[in-house]
Amino acid sequence: MRERGVDLMIFSPQASAMAHHVADPAVALDWARACNDLVHRVVRLFPANFAAACQLPQVPGGPLDDAVAELRRCVEELGFVGCNLNPDPSGGHWTSPPLTDPYWFALFEELVALDVPAMVHVSASRNPSFHALGAHYLNADTSVFMQLVEGDLFARFPTLRLVIPHGGGAVPYHWGRYRGLAARLGRPPLGEHVMRNVWFDTAVYHQAGIDLLYRVVDAGNILFASELHGAVRGVDPETGHAWDDTLRYIDNLALPAEARAKTLETNALRVYPRLTPRR
Amino acid sequence: MRERGVDLMIFSPQASAMAHHVADPAVALDWARACNDLVHRVVRLFPANFAAACQLPQVPGGPLDDAVAELRRCVEELGFVGCNLNPDPSGGHWTSPPLTDPYWFALFEELVALDVPAMVHVSASRNPSFHALGAHYLNADTSVFMQLVEGDLFARFPTLRLVIPHGGGAVPYHWGRYRGLAARLGRPPLGEHVMRNVWFDTAVYHQAGIDLLYRVVDAGNILFASELHGAVRGVDPETGHAWDDTLRYIDNLALPAEARAKTLETNALRVYPRLTPRR
């Protein structure tokens, strides 16, 4: 973390190991609680360096009562500041309804009541067509963003906050496509319709991608992320630097101080307000 | 076409209406033949302005014999120059194996024998999680690229040529991710492993996206595309120009003459060599 310029990490159970495809609610609950309790131990050991986000005990097509209860336990009893929400617990078969469907509303009500955000993140891929790191993750980001464009979730939940990782999947590269599709579907402009409630992160592992992200998305909607030991490990032989050393790419942008502060600190305090009392 | 600076269009049946999810091989064959014959009529009426690419009679999980036969009929009897290949005939359930699986090899052998390329393009989405234009299409582009990174298809078919539309889905925006994943998987660099056989198009509907595409992908791998009446219709109120008037974005790049000629003409003649005798 010091190497990458990180003083505080929002630490969650490993997204790829959430194993939501195991269709047994008791297993899902035990596994989520075990992972969340371990994360909580780390936060207690290093409270200056870690805050916690929880794994939810989801199963494909199952009710969300256990997820709501575990979210409440983690936030109220353990001081967690957010959660990971899997839009496809099946692991690449996409059998759940879109996030705009009432199926998900009880969980959104709890997120709003607790004033914590969800990072939208799938887990492992069980579909051989989708490599987890090279397709399934990015497809989920892209699909959920379009679900939000198509629907009107934030009219119902105006204070709900969702983080879409991996720089928003394909979305910033196709920003014109999404602006045009929103118009074609009779939706308000993206800035009013989606981007008051959605944040992208900086897990984009080359300079050209980060440059594009900041060119089309307001710095107020970008949260710093660096995977450290995530999808893309090792060093880019062309630059001699780690692929996922994202602070370098941001430094190279030479952002105005306020935009830089938003990405590196103040956006996170807005999106994760339970971070503030810890500091 | 004149408005958008297009003199010759490679014309195919509408990708979103291929209806491959209808699991009746007789319907698939009749529908493909009807569509292809109509496209052929247009080409005969306006031979200076159109060349033809065919729809294949695919069904989810079905054998590819009919697809191979229809491809051969269209190319040998009707003078078609390419085809559309659907990596997910189910329409968003992704029940077929990856394109690197032997399931697809008979079709690749025929493409190689006829010296025609395939554009990899899905059809309508029957999965409510995937908006066809805003998620399913881009996810398919991204997923297939990663299948090609993960596998070694072009070692077996060194002259096979695949076109991935919509600017390569999420791939150029995450170019560092793919370079890093290729290294992590022990694959050769993308330029040797995939990009000798794959082309992206310019169906990216804003300047920042086109700029990124040309920054990370060699102009020798970029084919001009403009949908005209495709996914994103109408005018960008910020620029006063049609979203999908992609020649404007390319003009704004002020490319060197050779790179510009590659995108607008010479790449297409390499990828679709059966175009040449028509000119």
Side-chain angles (χ1 to χ4, degrees), chain B residues 84-103:
Chain B
N84 287 339
L85 168 62
N86 185 346
D88 172 33
S90 77
H93 296 290
W94 291 89
T95 53
S96 293
L99 286 191
T100 49
D101 189 273
Y103 170 75

Side-chain angles (χ1 to χ4, degrees), chain A residues 70-91:
Chain A
E70 178 63 4
L71 173 65
R72 193 182 305 130
R73 179 184 83 92
C74 287
V75 174
E76 293 192 336
E77 296 177 27
L78 307 181
F80 280 42
V81 303
C83 71
N84 288 339
L85 169 61
N86 185 346
D88 172 33
S90 78

Side-chain angles (χ1 to χ4, degrees), chain A residues 155-238:
Chain A
R156 185 173 184 114
F157 298 104
T159 61
L160 178 64
R161 300 181 301 282
L162 300 178
V163 179
I164 299 184
H166 320 102
V171 172
Y173 177 47
H174 290 282
W175 197 242
R177 188 177 188 89
Y178 290 97
R179 290 183 59 223
L181 285 174
R184 183 172 168 185
L185 294 170
R187 294 283 175 259
L190 298 177
E192 302 162 30
H193 181 50
V194 177
M195 297 308 285
R196 287 178 182 162
N197 301 78
V198 167
W199 285 260
F200 298 151
D201 75 11
T202 64
V204 176
Y205 300 139
H206 63 146
Q207 189 68 48
I210 292 287
D211 290 356
L212 172 83
L213 173 63
Y214 279 84
R215 186 168 162 193
V216 300
V217 174
D218 188 272
N221 290 92
I222 304 174
L223 293 169
F224 180 73
S226 173
E227 287 193 72
L228 304 178
H229 296 282
V232 184
R233 299 165 197 187
V235 166
D236 181 349
E238 287 185 9

Side-chain angles (χ1 to χ4, degrees), chain A residues 134 173 178 184 206 211 231, chain B residues 134 173 178 184 206 211 215 231:
Chain A
Y173 177 47
Y178 290 97
R184 183 172 168 185
H206 63 146
D211 290 356
Chain B
Y173 177 46
Y178 289 97
R184 183 173 168 185
H206 63 147
D211 289 355
R215 186 168 163 192

Side-chain angles (χ1 to χ4, degrees), chain A residues 123-135:
Chain A
S123 193
S125 168
R126 299 176 71 227
N127 188 324
S129 283
F130 302 140
H131 188 276
L133 307 174

Side-chain angles (χ1 to χ4, degrees), chain A residues 222-273:
Chain A
I222 304 174
L223 293 169
F224 180 73
S226 173
E227 287 193 72
L228 304 178
H229 296 282
V232 184
R233 299 165 197 187
V235 166
D236 181 349
E238 287 185 9
T239 66
H241 297 284
W243 302 99
D244 61 2
D245 186 0
T246 50
L247 187 57
R248 287 190 69 256
Y249 305 133
I250 295 165
D251 284 343
N252 289 338
L253 288 172
L255 294 171
E258 192 191 337
R260 182 181 161 86
K262 283 180 178 176
T263 291
L264 298 183
E265 181 170 8
T266 57
N267 289 343
L269 297 175
R270 274 180 63 214
V271 178
Y272 297 81

